[in-house]
């Protein structure tokens, strides 16, 4: 009878990845446009009227009714057809990627962002969206290709917070909690106290410290001053 040990090890790794992947949805709302922001980004496109996305409830987009959902799908399809006919527009592919992300079509979003990065290989925003959408689409699976994207971002911008966050998250998923904690502590030290990713970052710091049985307060560096407080007096 085959040994159950390999299956048990794979199960443990999968459970670890699932546990540490829970922050992905949190960071999506900070580092790349999520549903509500993507809808507003669409409003500058002549084919995507703003009135479809004007309703809000409790700070989030109200779900479009069936008729509006059909209109959105039609508009996204027209955008796809336009890009198929004239594929040299990286901004168009980024827009299509955001659209697919909102619709939950993660594989299509990954493909659209891949095309955007092929046309604009040094666009860190496009690269970040490409890597993060791969993480979002992969769920419990390994994201080696996303890791390569994040590492490329760091060659272009060594302090990029999104790439640093996800590389640390991948260390946690792989079981290297000390490496993950070190990565997040370094990011914390380089982040303003009011940085938009602070909530997600602090959550992961607390979880990593708990896993390592470390008193987080004893190792936590001071963050940078808030951006607003550090700004010199003058017009905004």
């Amino acid at each position: 009878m085959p040994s159950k040990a390999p299956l048990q090890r794979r199960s443990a790794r999968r459970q670890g990845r699932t546990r540490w992947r829970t922050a992905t949805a949190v960071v999506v709302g900070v580092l790349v446009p999520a549903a509500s922001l993507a809808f507003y980004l669409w409003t500058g496109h002549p084919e995507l009227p703003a009135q479809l996305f004007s309703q809000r409830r409790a700070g989030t987009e109200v779900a479009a009714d069936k008729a509006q959902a059909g209109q959105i799908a039609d508009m996204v399809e027209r955008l796809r057809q336009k890009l198929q006919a004239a594929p040299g527009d990286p901004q168009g592919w980024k827009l299509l990627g955001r659209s697919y992300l909102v619709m939950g079509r993660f594989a299509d979003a990954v493909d659209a962002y891949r095309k955007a990065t092929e046309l604009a290989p040094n666009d860190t925003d496009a690269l970040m969206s490409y890597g993060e959408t791969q993480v979002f689409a992969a769920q419990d699976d390994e994201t080696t290709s996303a890791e390569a994207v994040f590492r490329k971002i760091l060659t272009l911008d060594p302090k990029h917070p999104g790439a640093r966050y996800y590389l640390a998250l991948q260390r946690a998923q792989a079981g290297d909690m000390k490496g993950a904690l070190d990565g997040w502590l370094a990011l914390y030290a380089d982040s303003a106290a009011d940085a938009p990713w602070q909530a997600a970052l602090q959550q992961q710091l607390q979880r990593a410290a708990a896993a390592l049985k470390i008193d987080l307060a004893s190792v936590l560096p001071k963050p940078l001053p808030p951006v607003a407080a550090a700004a010199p007096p003058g017009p905004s």
Side-chain angles (χ1 to χ4, degrees), residues 110-124:
V110 168
D111 186 58
Y113 282 128
R114 177 182 59 78
K115 291 173 180 174
T117 60
E118 288 173 351
L119 292 167
N122 295 329
D123 183 340
T124 56

Side-chain angles (χ1 to χ4, degrees), residues 133-176:
T133 304
Q134 287 183 63
V135 173
F136 210 64
Q139 297 189 15
D140 291 340
D141 295 328
E142 299 288 353
T143 51
T144 304
S145 58
E147 180 179 354
V149 173
F150 297 138
R151 293 196 181 282
K152 179 177 180 180
I153 292 172
L154 292 184
T155 67
L156 300 168
D157 179 3
K159 294 292 187 179
H160 194 284
R164 294 168 69 188
Y165 177 96
Y166 273 107
L167 287 172
L169 181 63
Q170 290 185 322
R171 293 189 189 101
Q173 290 174 327
D176 180 11

Side-chain angles (χ1 to χ4, degrees), residues 37-51 53 79 82 95 98:
L37 181 54
F39 280 142
Y40 282 117
L41 288 173
W42 278 349
T43 63
H45 196 282
E47 293 186 2
L48 299 166
Q51 62 266 26
F53 316 116
L79 175 59
K82 180 180 290 188
L95 180 62
R98 295 187 190 108

Side-chain angles (χ1 to χ4, degrees), residues 55-112:
Q55 293 179 300
R56 297 184 63 83
R57 180 184 296 135
T60 60
E61 287 292 332
V62 175
D65 60 25
K66 290 183 179 180
Q68 290 177 331
Q71 292 178 42
I72 293 170
D74 288 344
M75 287 184 279
V76 172
E77 176 59 19
R78 287 200 296 273
L79 175 59
R80 186 195 69 80
Q81 292 176 359
K82 180 180 290 188
L83 288 168
Q84 290 293 333
D89 178 11
Q91 294 301 319
W93 287 111
K94 286 167 66 175
L95 180 62
L96 186 62
R98 295 187 190 108
S99 306
Y100 283 143
L101 186 61
V102 170
M103 297 169 73
R105 295 171 57 176
F106 301 128
D108 290 331
V110 168
D111 186 58

